[in-house]
Amino acid sequence: MLHLHHSWLCFRSWLAGMLAVLLALAPSASSNISTSRPNILLLMADDLGIGDIGCYGNNTMRQGTENYSPGAPSADISLCCPGWRMVSSIGYRVLQWTGASGGLPTNETTFAKILKEKGYATGLVGKWHLGLNCESASDHCHHPLHHGFDHFYGMPFSLMGDCAHWELSEKRVNLEQKLNFLFQVLALVALTLAAGKLTHLIPVSWTPVIWSALSAVLLLAGSYFVGALIVHADCLLMRNHTITEQPMRFQTTTPLILQEVASFLKRNKHGPFLLFVSFLHVHIPLITMENFLGKSLHGLYGDNVEEMDWMVGQILDTLDMEGLTNSTLIYFTSDHGGSLENQLGNSQYGGWNGIYKGGKGMGGWEGGIRVPGIFRWPGVLPAGQVIGEPTSLMDVFPTVVQLAGGEVPQDRYRTTQRNNSALHRHKGTMWKVHFVTPVFQPEGAGACYGRKVCPCFGEKVLHHDPPLLFDLSRDPSETHVLTPASEPVFYQVMERVQQAVREHQRTLSPVPLQLDRLGNIWRPWLQPCCGPFPLCWCLREDGPQ
Ligand SMILES: *[C@@H]1O[C@H](CO)[C@@H](O)[C@H](O)[C@H]1NC(C)=O
Ligand SMILES: *[C@@H]1O[C@H](CO)[C@@H](O)[C@H](O)[C@H]1NC(C)=O
Ligand SMILES: *[C@@H]1O[C@H](CO)[C@@H](O)[C@H](O)[C@H]1NC(C)=O
Ligand SMILES: *[C@@H]1O[C@H](CO)[C@@H](O)[C@H](O)[C@H]1NC(C)=O
């Protein structure tokens, strides 16, 4: 995809030393071109499926692709089981409110922090769903500027279906329904008591009648307030520490993001820089500009993917114009696979994961964890190649740190590399073991259509004993479960994997639960609000800086 021409390189799978793999490709190039301290441009799509992309075989999605290498890709982390630095014990996998207190702890070392120390200009444009405040609405303890970025423009939260007034709501409708239900119960109680009192059938005083009526009114007001809060107050844009639009205006968001990227690149063209463009695309509600609407062969979702592809093209044009093409390593990927649950009637509102089973939020199924992994670094990386070596999104950290001449923190266990590949590889075969899989709804549907996302622990998942074994090299779609009868090395593989799991578990230690109930409830005093609370409304956009 992505204006790929032949200068791109596609990775086929996940997990390994990304840099080692990249540079092994280019032994001659690396001797004449300086491979140290390049500019780094990370492009990450939200919820894009691997099957949506031309580079990975989609021939009906119009993209800037001319000659692309067929093949499959690279890396991931499914939403099931959130990052190791942000965990919860009760099932929340992301922050639910901008006014929640959870977030990436300030004492964590991000690659942006290391690159900044190494003299890089560091910018983040787009989504930051790792928290905002701890104790007051403006302490911004979790803000990107406290995590190594010099510059931030975008949403200090995630774009959600709730940001637009339509049916694909992620939490608003659910909350409103609950509050409305309680309202109805209380209203009924109030009416019954009142009727009983008036007809002398129920011997009560007026006090409980008044209290239940008052509570009913409060709940009704609450359900309107919650709806308004979610739609308006949580869908906002900020530049550095300043709220620029609340609620954000969708028609101008894409052009503003592009202008911000362009001005960052111009300002920092003497480099080196790290720019992380964390797209709001292609998450619902699929905000798409007029000129892309109705243009693709795949409905609103396809329109949105094509618009993002155009954005990537615009960013690459800016790089070209500023003469940065050869000094910049670009990595395009997606945070995880497409969401299969995002359907409205027969319309597709979520990504397509190609031949792979499952999708976003489903733990280990390939559709959720195989994501595109596309690199460009002219003069250093050969163009038009497809690589089968596995890499992981976790490899981004050591890769960019090493390229910048920095050092990864030495005070923690490094689980990112060989450990995981040992998990998967054995004599050229790629094994995959599932200990837990989601329970689909309806049964056998291949996704959890009855919910927004599959649950990932507790009663709502299947625990397998013996675990499910697949040979991904022969069965990438995970359709044939191997058994001791069908697979001669079944027990050997299982033993090796169990050992790796035990080793991994030994390295885990408890961390504060950022996504647990207390960290993940709405706290009015933490609500970012650019007007007098609760009137969170402003428009202070004075153009990109
Ligand atoms: C690197 O140098 C070698 C010879 O010194 C040359 O053949 C090759 O084309 C150069 N590679 C690049 C990418 O410039
Ligand atoms: C291309 O992507 C669209 C959108 O996700 C999907 O509906 C379609 O099936 C894909 N086509 C191919 C050939 O994979
Ligand atoms: C950060 O602080 C928390 C709580 O004070 C602590 O549990 C955690 O280990 C610290 N993390 C690092 C990387 O220092
Ligand atoms: C954002 O903040 C950083 C650090 O405080 C500053 O260097 C940068 O110029 C700011 N950007 C804008 C647009 O104000």
Side-chain angles (χ1 to χ4, degrees), residues 51-53 57-61 298 301-302 305 348 350-354:
D52 292 328
I53 298 191
N58 194 318
N59 53 9
T60 54
M61 197 65 105
H298 301 290
Y301 180 79
V305 174
Q348 176 187 358
W352 165 245
N353 301 318

Side-chain angles (χ1 to χ4, degrees), residues 116 145 149-152 239-241 260 267 544-545:
K116 185 178 153 94
L145 295 195
F149 291 100
D150 299 323
H151 188 78
F152 170 64
R239 179 175 294 104
N240 275 359
H241 289 296
E260 200 80 22
R267 211 166 52 235
Q545 289 163 28

Side-chain angles (χ1 to χ4, degrees), residues 11 21 38 68 74 102 207 247 249 251 338 346 406 468 508 542:
F11 263 70
V21 174
Y68 49 81
S74 165
T207 318
R249 299 163 307 159
Q251 320 83 282
N346 289 328
L468 304 182
L508 301 177
D542 45 11

